Amino acid sequence: MDRARFARLRPLALLTAAALTLPGLTALTSAARAADADLLANGGFEAGLDGWTCTAGTTVTSPVRSGGAALRATPAGSDNARCSQTVTVQPDSAYTLTGHVRGSYVYLGASGTGTTDVTAWTQSATDWQQLTTTFRTGPATTRVTVFTHGWYGTGAYHADDLTLTGPGTGPARPPAVPAGLAAGTVTATSVDLSWTAVPGATGYAVYRDGTKVRTVTGTTTTVTGLAPSTAYSFQVTAVNDAGESARSATVTATTAPGPGGPTPGLPPHALVGYLHATFANGSGYTRLADVPDSWDVIDLAFGEPTSVTSGDIRFTRCPVTECPNVESDAEFKAAVKAKQAAGKKVLISIGGQNGQVRLTTTAARDTFVASVSKIIDEYGLDGLDIDFEGHSLSLDPDDTDFRTPKTPVIVNLISALKTLKARYGDDFVLTMAPETFFVQLGYQFYGTGKWGGQDPRAGAYLPVIHALRDDLTLLHVQDYNSGPVMGLDNQYHSMGGADFHIAMTDMLLTGFPVAGDPGKVFPPLRPDQVAIGMPATPNAGNGHVPPAEVVKTLDCLTKKVSCGSYATHGTWPGLRGLMTWSVNWDRFGGWEFQRTFDGYFR
């Protein structure tokens, strides 16, 4: 040993000399009680290091004190070669720890006792020497860690025949039910909870509306990711190695109103529809003036770019050759004013199936702002709908956090929409109609993923929605033309019934961790910002559901009835309403979608 190391050790030896255990003084002061048991697993190291956690240990066949194996561990300059095992014990009980060791500066002890942690040690044991120490557990202690270690750089030590005797734990039982659950500070998106500690509990599970949302080790937590102005119920259970207690009594809390609020001029529940203004198809052309008053928001489909990356958006109304009954520009503008006088909102929708828009440069961004403004001003419109589909939005490989996007097409779109909102003021209506692939799929996948290989479009709308959530009037995700998507119940949901719409909408109103990362949670939107997108008829798109399924969807989300197998995470009577593709197809289908909405909300 060098002088520096000896100087470090000597004060320790002087301070703890009284605890030194010498041969002849280590016999137990009393025999172990008949009911006591040896609680250590593999204390003789006959099964290798099974049950032990060691930083620098192995088993050897010589020297051994008994049996065929013993521990050999070699400390290094920054490692004392600790081996440890955590065992289950009884609260408020006496235990005796015994072991046989060889080597210089070898320690045997117990930590986490709940009272005074103990250590026995020997400065030099050229042959097997017994170390013994005793302790009493605290009133709530159910687990203790037993350890042995050497000293830094002093050479290998050996240990064998370690035992921990004392009251056994008997049949394992879950802890008692927590009491005193109470709600504290409540914000628009979070609730503080607290409860009384349970003896023997190693943790607690927190339930929101019957679904486990987190586990904690303490007796307080803040449940986040909640929707504003929404009632939630909470319960808590106590957990240990034996299992989970029954749930506590329920406490309820209603979150505060969020920032912003309903858009001026929109009714509490709104019907949104796309009007084929630039083309005709099998549904036929419908004049704007002929759209019934039930439609509160009318999206003119579509404004499209002159090229994918130009940012130059043009709105070219359907030509007479394609739409024989098309109105004149003057009649169209008059119809816009008439709808607005009746309290309706008329927007220009950008994109659609054929209108791919990629704002790859700031020049394209500025052109987008200028060209969209020109359309809005020319026709006196109330705002803008973003219906980017296909490859309009995708994420660069290094763009991994929806809260801080880096991809130019994402960053430039956010900047353009903020500029338009600032230009036209608070009454400017901004809506978005992404597909599920770009939003809810983000619960599982985001961009190319940690290891690459994923579709870079997965979840790509999330940074746009998040950056503009305070400016966003409505988000109506297209719950159609979609493959199966995993919901918050970690089950896949497919189109064809209320279940799909319920699960997809619950995600928007509850929030979710993006790509499963609990540190990157997409916060919930306000209920008044969310409408559910559905096809008006089977001809309009895959995923059409009959009126009865529409009613089930609304009943579940606004009243929490008729929910089927999916358990929502809240009840949202303030859900804004429904969106459909399209007004034209609903007219073709005898206005069935409109009548279903009116029958439910009007």
Side-chain angles (χ1 to χ4, degrees), residues 253-343:
T254 300
T255 50
T263 300
L266 277 185
H269 302 291
L271 179 61
V272 182
Y274 286 79
L275 182 68
H276 308 175
T278 63
F279 61 93
N281 59 15
S283 65
Y285 184 82
T286 300
R287 295 164 64 101
L288 178 58
D290 294 335
V291 175
D293 285 344
S294 291
W295 301 88
D296 301 295
V297 180
I298 303 168
D299 293 319
L300 305 176
F302 288 105
E304 297 181 357
T306 55
S307 70
V308 172
T309 59
S310 69
D312 188 7
I313 306 300
R314 304 296 174 89
F315 177 57
T316 304
R317 298 186 55 248
C318 191
V320 174
T321 53
E322 184 178 352
C323 304
N325 60 325
V326 67
E327 62 269 68
S328 68
D329 277 353
E331 291 172 326
F332 188 83
K333 292 175 182 178
V336 170
K337 291 183 178 179
K339 289 296 181 186
Q340 292 169 333

Side-chain angles (χ1 to χ4, degrees), residues 152-228:
Y152 305 94
T154 57
Y157 73 90
H158 295 77
D160 201 359
D161 298 333
L162 276 61
T163 63
L164 178 66
T165 55
T169 57
R173 295 181 179 179
V177 178
L181 178 62
T185 301
V186 177
T187 71
T189 59
S190 67
V191 174
D192 289 347
L193 299 174
S194 63
W195 55 90
T196 303
V198 176
T202 57
Y204 301 89
V206 179
Y207 288 79
R208 182 186 67 200
D209 293 325
T211 300
K212 185 186 295 186
V213 293
R214 65 178 57 194
T215 56
V216 297
T217 56
T219 58
T220 63
T221 191
T222 300
V223 181
T224 58
L226 307 180

Side-chain angles (χ1 to χ4, degrees), residues 393 410 413-414 417 432 460-469:
L393 296 181
I410 303 290
L413 177 60
I414 292 170
L417 296 180
M432 299 181 190
Y461 244 99
L462 292 176
V464 181
I465 299 168
H466 183 65
L468 290 153
R469 62 175 54 242

Side-chain angles (χ1 to χ4, degrees), residues 359-384:
L359 304 182
T360 56
T361 65
T362 55
R365 174 200 66 190
D366 295 343
T367 300
F368 180 88
V369 170
S371 59
V372 171
S373 296
K374 183 178 179 180
I375 296 169
I376 292 172
D377 294 343
E378 179 179 355
Y379 291 95
L381 304 179
D382 295 288
L384 170 66

Side-chain angles (χ1 to χ4, degrees), residues 284-561:
Y285 184 82
T286 300
R287 295 164 64 101
L288 178 58
D290 294 335
V291 175
D293 285 344
S294 291
W295 301 88
D296 301 295
V297 180
I298 303 168
D299 293 319
L300 305 176
F302 288 105
E304 297 181 357
T306 55
S307 70
V308 172
T309 59
S310 69
D312 188 7
I313 306 300
R314 304 296 174 89
F315 177 57
T316 304
R317 298 186 55 248
C318 191
V320 174
T321 53
E322 184 178 352
C323 304
N325 60 325
V326 67
E327 62 269 68
S328 68
D329 277 353
E331 291 172 326
F332 188 83
K333 292 175 182 178
V336 170
K337 291 183 178 179
K339 289 296 181 186
Q340 292 169 333
K344 313 304 177 183
K345 304 294 182 182
V346 185
L347 316 180
I348 179 64
S349 181
I350 307 297
Q353 180 178 348
N354 299 322
Q356 184 169 315
V357 180
R358 289 183 61 84
L359 304 182
T360 56
T361 65
T362 55
R365 174 200 66 190
D366 295 343
T367 300
F368 180 88
V369 170
S371 59
V372 171
S373 296
K374 183 178 179 180
I375 296 169
I376 292 172
D377 294 343
E378 179 179 355
Y379 291 95
L381 304 179
D382 295 288
L384 170 66
D385 172 70
I386 298 297
D387 186 12
F388 284 11
E389 299 180 13
H391 291 269
S392 292
L393 296 181
S394 60
L395 295 159
D396 289 348
D398 64 341
D399 198 343
T400 60
D401 191 338
F402 73 94
R403 299 167 298 186
T404 54
K406 303 176 182 179
T407 307
V409 296
I410 303 290
V411 173
N412 289 333
L413 177 60
I414 292 170
S415 176
L417 296 180
K418 285 185 174 291
T419 299
L420 288 165
K421 179 71 175 182
R423 174 173 297 181
Y424 289 100
D426 292 340
D427 290 339
F428 183 77
V429 178
L430 176 62
T431 67
M432 299 181 190
E435 296 166 293
T436 56
F437 189 93
F438 295 91
V439 184
Q440 287 94 336
L441 187 69
Y443 178 53
Q444 282 185 281
F445 308 107
Y446 189 71
T448 58
K450 294 181 180 179
W451 299 279
Q454 296 175 186
D455 192 320
R457 299 174 297 165
Y461 244 99
L462 292 176
V464 181
I465 299 168
H466 183 65
L468 290 153
R469 62 175 54 242
D470 290 340
D471 299 313
L472 184 63
T473 308
L474 287 176
L475 178 72
H476 28 65
V477 175
Q478 301 176 35
D479 285 0
Y480 45 90
N481 298 333
S482 171
V485 182
M486 181 178 286
L488 296 182
D489 57 353
N490 292 326
Q491 302 297 314
Y492 283 97
H493 300 268
S494 300
M495 299 183 302
D499 174 81
F500 187 73
H501 298 295
I502 292 167
M504 295 302 98
T505 308
D506 181 63
M507 296 179 77
L508 302 177
L509 296 171
T510 302
F512 54 88
V514 175
D517 188 341
K520 297 177 181 177
V521 175
F522 179 79
L525 293 167
R526 301 192 316 266
D528 66 88
Q529 289 179 297
V530 176
I532 308 170
M534 301 178 175
T537 71
N539 310 80
N542 295 321
H544 172 264
V545 295
E549 295 299 303
V550 177
V551 171
K552 285 182 183 178
T553 300
L554 296 173
D555 276 345
C556 177
L557 294 168
T558 65
K559 304 174 185 176
K560 209 162 189 175
V561 298

